[in-house]
């Protein structure tokens, strides 16, 4: 995680920032005066932990959206780095180019070779531009599909890590078949004969998430969201302004607890107190444990049966009322 001087805070995290500022002040004072303030500093550090717990106990939907976008939050490559060994990144869709917003490759997870695929956001301004803010072009989804087929060829399980505000909506993306690329991925992922686990680690918006979001099991991190449209865009459509984004977030019911109750995801992966950005190691360890246990469970099901169950799982999603005409 970032050092104290580089750490960033959201508006509702201000009480934590104030405590960190006081800790830094006490450390500087202790160095200058040679007075031991370690007991007081320890007390402040305990208060930081308790404040983090209190703040995240009753978050609103919009605050969870903000946490999912936290600039210090770990992204796909960070999880791969912390969870796996011997990661070999693979590039290109063998057609147009290598989309830097979509990353993937083979890695060892607890001694087993697994194909990891996910959207990658940048950690600074330059990298955000290179990664296109995690918004993949059609070639990104075609690269993902190429890697999935490669994993299937060698009978290796697939793990996808979803973190995108949506597929790139530019004119050139539409010209190269953005909609077709996402639809093709959904169709092909339904038929993959290897185990597939999908995890929403941050933002899970619209078709951009669905393009790598079809699997035997779908999980969400505790402070992530998953829905058809971002709260800001929903607000701009319904109220002609972004001002109602908080209300839109509540009405969209996009948080993990809602997704589980709707039957759209299979479970919630806990995060460190205050969010994944406070402890990368713990966040990765929590996810790694779930992945290992789930893979062990899925692999016991024969391939043909697994495909049948996957199709059945998605066919049953949604609920509605039929009214007489």
């Amino acid at each position: 995680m970032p050092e104290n001087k580089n750490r960033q805070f959201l508006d509702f995290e201000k009480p934590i920032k104030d405590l960190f500022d006081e800790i830094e002040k006490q450390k500087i004072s202790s160095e200058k005066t040679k007075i031991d303030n370690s007991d007081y500093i320890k007390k402040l550090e305990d208060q930081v932990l308790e404040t983090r717990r209190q703040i995240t106990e009753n978050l609103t939907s919009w605050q969870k959206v903000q946490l999912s976008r936290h600039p210090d939050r770990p992204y796909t490559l960070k999880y791969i780095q912390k969870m796996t060994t011997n990661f070999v990144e693979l590039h290109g869709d063998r057609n147009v180019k290598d989309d830097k917003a979509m990353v993937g490759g083979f890695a060892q997870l607890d001694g087993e070779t697994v194909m990891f695929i996910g959207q990658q956001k940048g950690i600074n301004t330059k990298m955000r531009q290179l990664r296109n803010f995690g918004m993949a072009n059609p070639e990104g989804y075609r690269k993902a599909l190429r890697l999935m087929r490669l994993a299937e060829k060698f009978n290796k399980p697939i793990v996808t890590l979803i973190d995108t505000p949506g597929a790139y909506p530019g004119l050139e993306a539409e010209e190269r078949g953005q909609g077709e690329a996402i639809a093709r991925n959904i169709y092909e992922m339904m038929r993959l004969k290897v185990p597939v686990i999908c995890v929403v680690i941050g933002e899970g918006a619209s078709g951009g998430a669905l393009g790598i979001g079809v699997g035997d099991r779908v999980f969400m991190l505790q402070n992530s969201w998953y829905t058809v449209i971002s709260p800001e865009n929903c607000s701009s459509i319904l109220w002609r302004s972004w001002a109602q984004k908080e209300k839109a977030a509540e009405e969209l019911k996009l948080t993990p607890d809602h997704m589980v109750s709707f039957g759209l995801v299979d479970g919630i992966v806990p995060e460190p107190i205050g969010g994944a950005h406070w402890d990368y190691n713990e966040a990765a360890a929590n996810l790694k444990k779930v992945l290992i246990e789930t893979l062990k469970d899925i692999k016991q099901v024969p391939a043909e049966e697994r495909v049948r169950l996957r199709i059945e799982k998605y066919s049953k999603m949604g609920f509605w009322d039929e009214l007489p005409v």
Side-chain angles (χ1 to χ4, degrees):
M1 61 187 297
E3 296 296 329
N4 289 2
K5 61 181 178 181
N6 297 322
R7 189 173 291 143
Q8 301 180 66
F9 296 89
L10 301 173
D11 291 342
F12 60 88
E13 291 182 309
K14 187 178 182 301
I16 305 174
K17 182 180 185 303
D18 293 340
L19 288 169
F20 269 110
D21 290 343
E22 181 62 24
I23 289 172
E24 289 301 311
K25 182 180 174 182
Q26 290 299 321
K27 286 180 178 178
I28 294 171
S29 174
S30 181
E31 289 177 4
K32 286 182 178 180
T33 62
K34 305 301 180 183
I35 297 174
D36 185 9
N37 291 338
S38 57
D39 289 343
Y40 182 53
I41 291 173
K42 177 65 169 62
K43 184 178 178 182
L44 288 173
E45 289 173 343
D46 291 340
Q47 286 183 26
V48 168
L49 192 63
E50 182 58 31
T51 304
R52 279 163 50 188
R53 180 182 287 106
Q54 290 174 357
I55 286 175
T56 51
E57 269 181 354
N58 297 299
L59 291 173
T60 65
S61 295
W62 175 243
Q63 286 172 333
K64 287 200 174 188
V65 170
Q66 289 178 288
L67 270 186
S68 76
R69 298 169 175 170
H70 199 291
D72 294 337
R73 193 173 175 87
Y75 301 136
T76 293
L77 288 176
K78 181 62 69 175
Y79 279 106
I80 293 174
Q81 175 195 338
K82 295 290 185 181
M83 293 191 302
T84 71
T85 56
N86 302 325
F87 175 58
V88 179
E89 186 173 355
L90 302 172
H91 301 271
D93 70 336
R94 302 294 185 268
N95 188 24
V96 177
K97 67 174 184 178
D98 181 40
D99 189 342
K100 302 295 184 184
M102 188 77 73
V103 297
F106 285 115
Q108 293 278 310
L109 178 70
D110 196 37
E112 180 180 9
T113 301
V114 175
M115 174 63 79
F116 281 88
I117 301 168
Q119 287 107 351
Q120 174 69 21
K121 297 177 179 177
I123 58 175
N124 53 45
T125 302
K126 185 176 180 180
M127 291 303 295
R128 289 184 188 110
Q129 290 176 329
L130 177 69
R131 303 285 185 185
N132 202 29
F133 300 87
M135 296 185 292
N137 278 279
E139 48 270 23
Y141 291 99
R142 289 174 180 136
K143 173 168 79 170
L145 181 57
R146 181 178 77 82
L147 299 187
M148 291 176 200
R149 286 173 171 163
L150 187 64
E152 185 179 42
K153 177 180 178 180
F154 293 106
N155 195 30
K156 303 300 180 186
I158 299 167
V159 172
T160 68
L161 303 178
I162 300 164
D163 188 10
T164 180
Y168 183 58
L171 176 62
E172 61 271 29
E174 297 298 335
E175 288 174 342
R176 293 195 299 274
Q178 184 72 286
E180 187 277 336
I182 293 171
R184 172 66 60 183
N185 277 24
I186 294 172
Y187 173 72
E188 295 293 346
M189 288 185 80
M190 281 285 187
R191 307 191 303 160
L192 289 169
K193 291 182 172 60
V194 293
V196 184
I197 301 175
C198 307
V199 186
V200 182
I201 60 172
E203 299 185 88
S206 193
L210 282 176
I212 57 169
V214 177
D216 302 295
R217 300 286 188 279
V218 181
F219 297 98
M220 292 179 70
L221 263 61
Q222 186 178 350
N223 296 306
S224 61
W225 60 276
Y226 195 21
T227 189
V228 297
I229 191 171
S230 70
E232 294 94 332
N233 289 333
C234 176
S235 176
S236 67
I237 291 171
L238 295 181
W239 292 282
R240 308 298 185 199
S241 164
W242 278 21
Q244 300 295 325
K245 57 184 180 294
E246 295 183 35
K247 182 177 180 182
E250 292 293 338
E251 295 300 325
L252 283 168
K253 310 233 182 300
L254 41 67
T255 54
D257 52 333
H258 285 120
M259 291 295 105
V260 170
S261 67
F262 294 152
L264 301 178
V265 302
D266 301 293
I268 302 171
V269 181
E271 294 185 21
I273 296 170
H277 59 288
W278 286 105
D279 192 331
Y280 294 171
N281 290 327
E282 184 183 343
N286 290 346
L287 178 54
K288 182 178 180 179
K289 180 182 177 183
V290 170
L291 292 178
I292 292 171
E293 292 175 352
T294 306
L295 275 177
K296 191 180 297 184
D297 181 44
I298 297 174
K299 285 168 68 177
Q300 295 177 4
V301 182
E304 296 298 331
E305 178 69 5
R306 198 160 48 228
V307 172
R308 187 189 68 79
L309 290 174
R310 194 184 303 148
I311 293 172
E312 187 177 287
K313 169 188 172 76
Y314 282 86
S315 298
K316 287 181 177 179
M317 285 184 178
F319 46 86
W320 58 90
D321 292 323
E322 292 188 5
L323 300 177
V325 178

